[in-house]
Amino acid sequence: MARYSLYLGDCMQWMDERSANSVHAIVTDPPYGLKEYSHEEKTKLRDGHGGVWRIPPSFDGCKRSPLPRFTVLTDSDRARLRGFFAEFAGRAIRVLVPGCHLMIATNPLLSHLVYLPLMEAGFEKRGEIIRLVKTLRGGDRPKNAHGEFADVTVMPRSGWEPWGLFRKPCDGRVQDNLRKWKAGGLRRISQDQPFEDVIRSSPTRPEERRIAPHPSLKPQALMRQLVRAALPLGAGIVLDPFMGGGSTVAAALAVGYDSIGIESDSAFFRIAERAIPKLAEFAAARHPAAKATQRIGKEGPNVTVGLRPPERAAPPALEAR
Ligand SMILES: C[S@@+](CC[C@H](N)C(=O)[O-])C[C@H]1O[C@@H](n2cnc3c(N)ncnc32)[C@H](O)[C@@H]1O
């Protein structure tokens, strides 16, 4: 049975209280501007105007989701961001078992501010996973001078999202670490196909956004590929310390892995709590291998729901490749 536990609170404090060497992967999408998830900015987002959240223009009659405006960060915001990731990195490396992977969503403007603190805390950089996705970032002409500089774009229109791939150093050789800690590598897509570091991906589908109306919701088709790869032997616990609308936990549930999600905002927490089984089932409808079939109840103060694991033979979530 795949199980998950959700905690409403600060992930830093949660990691401080968690035993060392007790988590087998972290797959997460942190608050990249810090600012955008402050109380003040969330209020502006929920009111629908102002602040760091940019409401992109409608396109073909579709209303777009708000995007945080990372270019407005000041030097001191950047210093705070780096400090935040230093705090995160020190805690993350302690709770992970040796050889475990950490996959962290970022963006091309700010990735260095998280990669360096992770390496300084002792993580090995193992590359980057490139999510090929068309976004509405970049591609604009100079503000208030569109006509004058009609042939100029200030920044490229972004077509990719980097995910930093890090590993806590292994305890000896990879094979020894795999035997002892069940970690050290990434799960293959199949015997013939290794996990690859370029993933074609669509923006999150409107159906998923309706299930989990979080402004930064990641798509199940992507998350299931990442989460599945994160446990090389399919055993262990996946942690998402910045759970948001619950896409990592839902993906873990869909592929049959145990997971833990932490979220500090009570409104987002409630969204995730309701959305996770539905997102897992939504994915299941399109990926029969991960059909979530049985709800077995709740335990303790943290919601803990178990669903029957998928067939191990069929690798899930390949349709987006
Ligand atoms: C970028 S969003 C994650 C979105 C998520 N990947 C999804 O698909 O829904 C980051 C989340 O981290 C939460 N957060 C920020 N600081 C936190 C902290 N210290 N502990 C736990 N959650 C935090 C924010 O409230 C926000 O919901």
Side-chain angles (χ1 to χ4, degrees), residues 282-303:
F282 170 82
R286 300 166 59 232
H287 305 284
K291 197 163 171 68
T293 52
Q294 191 191 6
R295 194 178 168 104
I296 61 163
K298 294 186 173 190
E299 289 177 6
N302 313 307
V303 179

Short mmCIF file of all heavy atoms in Angstrom, two decimals, residues 282-303:
data_model
loop_
_atom_site.label_atom_id
_atom_site.label_comp_id
_atom_site.label_asym_id
_atom_site.label_seq_id
_atom_site.Cartn_x
_atom_site.Cartn_y
_atom_site.Cartn_z
N PHE A 282 -7.04 11.13 -11.33
CA PHE A 282 -7.09 11.80 -12.63
C PHE A 282 -5.98 11.23 -13.52
O PHE A 282 -6.19 10.86 -14.65
CB PHE A 282 -6.88 13.31 -12.45
CG PHE A 282 -6.68 14.04 -13.73
CD1 PHE A 282 -7.76 14.41 -14.50
CD2 PHE A 282 -5.40 14.35 -14.18
CE1 PHE A 282 -7.58 15.09 -15.70
CE2 PHE A 282 -5.22 15.02 -15.36
CZ PHE A 282 -6.31 15.39 -16.12
N ALA A 283 -4.81 11.13 -12.92
CA ALA A 283 -3.70 10.56 -13.68
C ALA A 283 -4.00 9.12 -14.02
O ALA A 283 -3.71 8.67 -15.12
CB ALA A 283 -2.42 10.66 -12.86
N ALA A 284 -4.62 8.41 -13.08
CA ALA A 284 -4.88 6.99 -13.29
C ALA A 284 -5.81 6.78 -14.47
O ALA A 284 -5.68 5.81 -15.21
CB ALA A 284 -5.48 6.38 -12.03
N ALA A 285 -6.76 7.72 -14.63
CA ALA A 285 -7.70 7.55 -15.74
C ALA A 285 -6.97 7.54 -17.07
O ALA A 285 -7.38 6.89 -18.02
CB ALA A 285 -8.72 8.68 -15.71
N ARG A 286 -5.85 8.29 -17.12
CA ARG A 286 -5.09 8.34 -18.37
C ARG A 286 -3.92 7.37 -18.35
O ARG A 286 -3.26 7.15 -19.35
CB ARG A 286 -4.58 9.78 -18.60
CG ARG A 286 -5.74 10.75 -18.69
CD ARG A 286 -5.28 12.18 -18.56
NE ARG A 286 -4.32 12.51 -19.60
CZ ARG A 286 -3.14 13.05 -19.36
NH1 ARG A 286 -2.77 13.32 -18.14
NH2 ARG A 286 -2.33 13.31 -20.35
N HIS A 287 -3.61 6.80 -17.20
CA HIS A 287 -2.50 5.85 -17.06
C HIS A 287 -3.02 4.68 -16.24
O HIS A 287 -2.87 4.65 -15.03
CB HIS A 287 -1.33 6.48 -16.33
CG HIS A 287 -0.86 7.74 -16.96
ND1 HIS A 287 -0.11 7.76 -18.10
CD2 HIS A 287 -1.08 9.03 -16.63
CE1 HIS A 287 0.13 9.02 -18.43
NE2 HIS A 287 -0.45 9.80 -17.57
N PRO A 288 -3.67 3.70 -16.86
CA PRO A 288 -4.30 2.63 -16.11
C PRO A 288 -3.34 1.92 -15.16
O PRO A 288 -3.75 1.39 -14.14
CB PRO A 288 -4.81 1.68 -17.19
CG PRO A 288 -4.85 2.49 -18.44
CD PRO A 288 -3.82 3.57 -18.30
N ALA A 289 -2.04 1.94 -15.47
CA ALA A 289 -1.08 1.24 -14.62
C ALA A 289 -1.06 1.80 -13.21
O ALA A 289 -0.66 1.13 -12.27
CB ALA A 289 0.32 1.33 -15.21
N ALA A 290 -1.47 3.05 -13.05
CA ALA A 290 -1.40 3.66 -11.73
C ALA A 290 -2.79 3.89 -11.15
O ALA A 290 -3.03 4.85 -10.47
CB ALA A 290 -0.63 4.96 -11.81
N LYS A 291 -3.69 2.99 -11.41
CA LYS A 291 -5.06 3.18 -10.93
C LYS A 291 -5.10 3.11 -9.40
O LYS A 291 -4.68 2.15 -8.79
CB LYS A 291 -5.97 2.11 -11.53
CG LYS A 291 -7.43 2.45 -11.44
CD LYS A 291 -8.20 1.55 -12.41
CE LYS A 291 -9.69 1.71 -12.20
NZ LYS A 291 -10.21 3.00 -12.57
N ALA A 292 -5.56 4.19 -8.83
CA ALA A 292 -5.67 4.23 -7.38
C ALA A 292 -7.04 3.67 -7.03
O ALA A 292 -8.04 4.24 -7.37
CB ALA A 292 -5.54 5.67 -6.92
N THR A 293 -7.06 2.54 -6.37
CA THR A 293 -8.33 1.82 -6.28
C THR A 293 -8.96 1.79 -4.91
O THR A 293 -10.15 1.59 -4.79
CB THR A 293 -8.14 0.37 -6.73
OG1 THR A 293 -7.06 -0.16 -6.00
CG2 THR A 293 -7.89 0.27 -8.20
N GLN A 294 -8.19 1.94 -3.87
CA GLN A 294 -8.81 1.69 -2.58
C GLN A 294 -8.38 2.73 -1.56
O GLN A 294 -7.20 2.97 -1.36
CB GLN A 294 -8.39 0.30 -2.09
CG GLN A 294 -9.21 -0.14 -0.89
CD GLN A 294 -8.63 -1.37 -0.25
OE1 GLN A 294 -7.56 -1.84 -0.62
NE2 GLN A 294 -9.31 -1.87 0.74
N ARG A 295 -9.34 3.32 -0.92
CA ARG A 295 -9.03 4.28 0.12
C ARG A 295 -9.16 3.54 1.44
O ARG A 295 -10.20 2.96 1.73
CB ARG A 295 -10.06 5.41 0.04
CG ARG A 295 -9.69 6.62 0.82
CD ARG A 295 -10.76 7.68 0.61
NE ARG A 295 -10.55 8.72 1.58
CZ ARG A 295 -10.00 9.89 1.30
NH1 ARG A 295 -9.70 10.21 0.08
NH2 ARG A 295 -9.81 10.79 2.24
N ILE A 296 -8.11 3.54 2.23
CA ILE A 296 -8.21 2.69 3.43
C ILE A 296 -8.28 3.47 4.73
O ILE A 296 -8.25 2.89 5.79
CB ILE A 296 -7.07 1.66 3.51
CG1 ILE A 296 -5.73 2.35 3.60
CG2 ILE A 296 -7.14 0.66 2.40
CD1 ILE A 296 -4.62 1.46 4.08
N GLY A 297 -8.43 4.77 4.66
CA GLY A 297 -8.75 5.45 5.91
C GLY A 297 -7.76 6.49 6.34
O GLY A 297 -6.83 6.83 5.62
N LYS A 298 -7.98 7.03 7.53
CA LYS A 298 -7.18 8.12 8.06
C LYS A 298 -6.57 7.68 9.38
O LYS A 298 -7.18 6.93 10.13
CB LYS A 298 -8.07 9.33 8.31
CG LYS A 298 -8.64 9.92 7.06
CD LYS A 298 -9.37 11.19 7.39
CE LYS A 298 -9.81 11.88 6.11
NZ LYS A 298 -10.31 13.21 6.33
N GLU A 299 -5.40 8.20 9.66
CA GLU A 299 -4.77 7.87 10.94
C GLU A 299 -4.24 9.13 11.57
O GLU A 299 -3.64 9.96 10.88
CB GLU A 299 -3.56 6.97 10.70
CG GLU A 299 -3.92 5.57 10.28
CD GLU A 299 -2.66 4.77 10.00
OE1 GLU A 299 -1.55 5.27 10.25
OE2 GLU A 299 -2.81 3.64 9.55
N GLY A 300 -4.38 9.25 12.85
CA GLY A 300 -3.73 10.30 13.62
C GLY A 300 -4.06 11.69 13.14
O GLY A 300 -4.99 11.91 12.38
N PRO A 301 -3.28 12.69 13.60
CA PRO A 301 -3.56 14.07 13.23
C PRO A 301 -3.18 14.37 11.78
O PRO A 301 -3.63 15.34 11.21
CB PRO A 301 -2.68 14.88 14.19
CG PRO A 301 -1.61 13.93 14.62
CD PRO A 301 -2.15 12.55 14.50
N ASN A 302 -2.34 13.57 11.19
CA ASN A 302 -1.93 13.81 9.81
C ASN A 302 -2.73 12.88 8.93
O ASN A 302 -2.85 11.72 9.22
CB ASN A 302 -0.45 13.49 9.62
CG ASN A 302 0.36 14.10 10.71
OD1 ASN A 302 0.26 15.29 10.96
ND2 ASN A 302 1.13 13.28 11.40
N VAL A 303 -3.24 13.44 7.87
CA VAL A 303 -4.02 12.59 6.97
C VAL A 303 -3.08 11.52 6.43
O VAL A 303 -2.02 11.84 5.91
CB VAL A 303 -4.57 13.42 5.80
CG1 VAL A 303 -5.36 12.55 4.86
CG2 VAL A 303 -5.40 14.56 6.33
#
